[in-house]
Amino acid sequence: KINVTFYNANDGYIVVHEIQKSMQNGSFKRRVIMSGYNVPEFFDEGKGSPGSAATFYQPKNGTEKPYILVSGADDGHLYIMTPHSEDPNDWRYRQDILYHGSGAVGEVLVADVNSDGTQEILLPCYSENKIWVYQVDSEYH
């Protein structure tokens, strides 16, 4: 699966391109999994949302759907998207706000930055001059 975001001031959205057979020979099925991202009028730093998307929870056996983190970019949020089911034909996701900021946020990074075997989530918050760090719990549901 390939996550793609489309950055827009009024109606940004997230698309998953599902690989049907192989990257080289197969076709891709395009699915919009979330839409309606926009920038509040009082934010004057940027002109679009969403920003980057990153897989948050790595599937254990390669067939489970991942959780997805989405930087809201100029809307000042960090979103977590949770799959409704593991059914391969059901691409509905629930979206919750993990961070609600007061200005633009940057590209979300998921990595084990301190080499302790647990992934961390890093979110730069430009307007606040901070980087928020979250630790990923492997038992997240």
Side-chain angles (χ1 to χ4, degrees), residues 27-86:
S27 61
F28 295 85
K29 188 176 274 188
R30 181 179 188 262
R31 300 176 187 273
V32 175
I33 60 172
M34 196 65 61
S35 63
Y37 295 91
N38 55 55
V39 180
E41 291 180 20
F42 59 87
F43 281 9
D44 59 1
E45 296 174 18
K47 304 284 191 251
S49 182
S52 64
T55 300
F56 157 52
Y57 172 76
Q58 295 296 333
K60 294 176 183 163
N61 61 16
T63 61
E64 296 174 350
K65 291 182 190 158
Y67 293 78
I68 301 170
L69 284 172
V70 179
S71 164
D74 296 322
D75 79 359
H77 294 65
L78 175 62
Y79 301 96
I80 180 170
M81 296 176 59
T82 308
H84 278 268
S85 76
E86 294 302 327

Side-chain angles (χ1 to χ4, degrees), residues 87-106:
D87 180 342
N89 298 312
D90 182 1
W91 280 93
R92 293 176 299 150
Y93 271 75
R94 183 185 84 225
Q95 179 172 272
D96 296 302
I97 296 173
L98 186 59
Y99 173 80
H100 178 82
S102 59
V105 297

Side-chain angles (χ1 to χ4, degrees), residues 125-136:
C125 301
Y126 301 131
S127 302
E128 299 168 18
N129 201 27
K130 295 180 181 177
I131 297 176
W132 285 95
V133 180
Y134 300 87
Q135 192 169 45
V136 175

Side-chain angles (χ1 to χ4, degrees), residues 94-121:
R94 183 185 84 225
Q95 179 172 272
D96 296 302
I97 296 173
L98 186 59
Y99 173 80
H100 178 82
S102 59
V105 297
E107 183 174 344
V108 63
L109 172 70
V110 180
D112 182 5
V113 296
N114 60 0
S115 301
D116 67 352
T118 302
Q119 290 183 326
E120 285 80 34
I121 299 165

